[in-house]
Amino acid sequence: MAIYYVRPGGNDSNAGTGPATNQAWATVQKALSSTSGLAGGDIVYVAPGHYLEQVTIGITSPSSTVQIIGDVTASQFTGLSAGIVRLSGFSSAGNAAIVYTGAILKGTSKNNLSFSNFIFEGRGTGTSGNGLVTFLTSQNISFSKCLFSQQGYDGAANAGAVLQLSAPASLALNATISKCVFESARLMVGITGSNVADTTSVKDCIFFGGNYQLYVVSCQVTVVNNTFSGCYGNACDFSSGSASFPSVFRNNLRSEEHTSELQSRLHLVCRL
């Protein structure tokens, strides 16, 4: 196992193996690029700061989990104060102009990646496969204690999610989304599986506003202990499921204000 570091003031020509400015990388893109050397079991600590980037994951898909951790306490770094870790399409923190339209974090056929303690903000294109954070044909992707915020409501109501995940053909997605907050987006979480046994879960999350808050297609998913609030369309929509692989929807709070009835189509068997 190796540990790598990203911090403001670092340099992508560094080795990335130490927390000081003359050791750490400067960008998340470098950490996840094909030249970083990142492999299964490694950890990347990202220092507090605003990272204005569009990250396309280039590392070879690891065989075991790689953790990318926003170090909000700056405990892994010297000379830095605690603060948020922001991967952003904005030109500066706050409500400045959008620089990047489209995914600010995207991977295709990349497995076993875990992200925690990040703010992801910007503006996706609103089309399928081009949400704010997108992993296509990927497995074992995890997000914990992250905030997802998208400006605008572009695109179709059920495409181009702020967080869009899809499984490889005939394989399980096995994604984990826990203790995250989603806000200000037309479609917040889009999940597409393969109608096979799947451990995908959405737990302990908060959803504000939007047209679709959780849109699930052909995926066995456990949805537990979430809050769905202020949706003007379908808070949760399950489509094209399989009776052989029932989903679980339990102990969720749904605000009545501006929220339509929970959608559960007849071809999905959902264990309540």
Side-chain angles (χ1 to χ4, degrees):
M1 182 191 80
I3 299 178
Y4 297 95
Y5 302 84
V6 175
R7 65 175 290 165
N11 192 310
D12 284 349
S13 64
N14 291 336
T17 51
T21 55
N22 64 346
Q23 298 171 310
W25 293 318
T27 66
V28 178
Q29 176 64 76
K30 173 61 180 181
L32 296 175
S33 71
S34 60
T35 61
S36 69
L38 212 62
D42 290 349
I43 298 174
V44 179
Y45 288 107
V46 183
H50 177 218
Y51 299 87
L52 178 63
E53 302 184 47
Q54 281 187 296
V55 177
T56 299
I57 297 174
I59 61 171
T60 300
S61 187
S63 58
S64 59
T65 301
V66 169
Q67 299 180 68
I68 303 94
I69 301 172
D71 181 21
V72 295
T73 64
S75 62
Q76 301 295 321
F77 298 87
T78 58
L80 294 175
S81 300
I84 60 176
V85 181
R86 184 191 305 264
L87 184 61
S88 176
F90 289 97
S91 57
S92 63
N95 294 318
I98 289 286
V99 176
Y100 301 136
T101 299
I104 59 170
L105 177 63
K106 185 170 185 177
T108 301
S109 301
K110 304 298 181 183
N111 305 326
N112 301 313
L113 296 173
S114 171
F115 297 85
S116 59
N117 304 332
F118 278 85
I119 293 176
F120 299 103
E121 64 174 9
R123 184 171 185 173
T125 66
T127 57
S128 182
N130 288 287
L132 189 69
V133 176
T134 302
F135 281 86
L136 305 177
T137 59
S138 300
Q139 294 181 287
N140 304 315
I141 302 299
S142 172
F143 291 92
S144 175
K145 300 179 182 178
C146 294
L147 168 65
F148 297 79
S149 178
Q150 175 163 297
Q151 183 188 74
Y153 292 83
D154 288 350
N158 58 355
V162 169
L163 175 58
Q164 184 170 355
L165 306 173
S166 70
S170 303
L171 296 176
L173 179 62
N174 292 339
T176 301
I177 305 168
S178 67
K179 299 180 181 178
C180 293
V181 177
F182 299 87
E183 58 96 15
S184 300
R186 186 163 187 170
L187 171 59
M188 297 183 183
V189 178
I191 294 173
T192 302
S194 299
N195 273 336
V196 298
D198 203 310
T199 63
T200 292
S201 64
V202 181
K203 297 181 179 180
D204 305 309
C205 295
I206 299 174
F207 298 79
F208 291 111
N211 190 357
Y212 283 76
Q213 293 178 331
L214 177 61
Y215 187 72
V216 180
V217 178
S218 304
C219 189
Q220 182 181 36
V221 59
T222 297
V223 183
V224 177
N225 298 339
N226 303 286
T227 298
F228 299 93
S229 176
C231 180
Y232 65 84
N234 299 336
C236 302
D237 197 312
F238 297 82
S239 176
S240 305
S242 168
S244 299
F245 307 106
S247 289
V248 176
F249 190 94
R250 184 179 66 245
N251 201 38
N252 298 288
L253 175 65
R254 181 173 62 87
S255 170
E256 293 293 335
E257 184 178 4
H258 305 304
T259 306
S260 73
E261 292 299 320
L262 179 71
Q263 302 297 303
S264 183
R265 299 182 183 181
L266 292 178
H267 45 260
L268 175 78
V269 175
C270 195
R271 187 170 72 248
L272 300 175

